[in-house]
């Protein structure tokens, strides 16, 4: 994972990690092979491929939502997407973090983070 200009690179691995492998629509917990990236505002409707416009979705929910806007279908987000900070990036890299290192990293993780 790359870290450029203070922004965590958006990959499916980091996205699924940020969202704890939980579908933003049904709340189910899934393995990475059963998940996909969903654009809240679809790219076909001008949505961007960035942290605040993407969530983790199970394949079933992503197919159901398709390229529709949430306001046009009976689906709601269970959590709000956000941009992970530098401390979260280090945790999302999933390296071997020692207990004292994790204690330090967690001091920099915002209270709204799903990593807490």
């Amino acid at each position: 994972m790359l870290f450029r200009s203070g922004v965590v690179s958006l990959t499916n691995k980091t996205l699924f990690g940020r969202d704890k492998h939980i579908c933003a629509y049904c709340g189910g917990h899934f393995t990475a092979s059963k998940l996909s990236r969903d654009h809240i505002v679809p790219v076909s409707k001008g949505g961007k491929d960035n942290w605040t416009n993407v969530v983790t979705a199970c394949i079933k929910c992503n197919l159901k939502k398709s390229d529709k806007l949430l306001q046009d279908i009976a689906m709601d987000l269970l959590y709000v997407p956000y941009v992970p900070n530098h401390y979260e990036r280090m945790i999302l890299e999933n390296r071997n973090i020692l207990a004292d290192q994790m204690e330090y990293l967690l001091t920099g993780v915002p209270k709204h983070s799903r990593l807490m």
Side-chain angles (χ1 to χ4, degrees):
M1 172 171 39
L2 300 174
F3 186 75
R4 295 186 185 143
S5 304
V7 177
V8 180
S9 294
L10 176 57
T11 66
N12 282 351
K13 180 181 176 182
T14 55
L15 174 65
F16 300 164
R18 179 199 72 179
D19 296 346
K20 293 190 148 197
H21 288 80
I22 296 172
C23 176
Y25 301 108
C26 71
H29 187 267
F30 298 90
T31 61
S33 65
K34 304 283 186 195
L35 293 172
S36 60
R37 180 186 307 195
D38 180 64
H39 294 85
I40 300 163
V41 176
V43 174
S44 65
K45 297 190 181 340
K48 304 289 185 200
D49 189 37
N50 62 30
W51 283 105
T52 58
N53 189 49
V54 296
V55 291
T56 298
C58 70
I59 294 170
K60 181 180 176 183
C61 286
N62 202 344
L63 289 172
K64 179 181 174 185
K65 181 177 173 283
S66 186
D67 69 340
K68 297 172 183 73
L69 297 171
L70 292 176
Q71 64 216 34
D72 297 334
I73 57 175
M75 290 177 81
D76 293 310
L77 283 174
L78 298 177
Y79 53 79
V80 177
Y82 68 95
V83 179
N85 71 15
H86 175 68
Y87 296 93
E88 290 170 294
R89 174 190 67 88
M90 296 173 89
I91 295 168
L92 289 170
E93 283 181 344
N94 202 20
R95 298 179 185 234
N96 293 327
I97 301 172
L98 302 175
D100 61 335
Q101 293 170 326
M102 182 60 83
E103 186 178 326
Y104 169 75
L105 290 174
L106 289 174
T107 64
V109 174
K111 291 180 183 180
H112 71 269
S113 172
R114 281 185 292 284
L115 296 181
M116 294 298 283

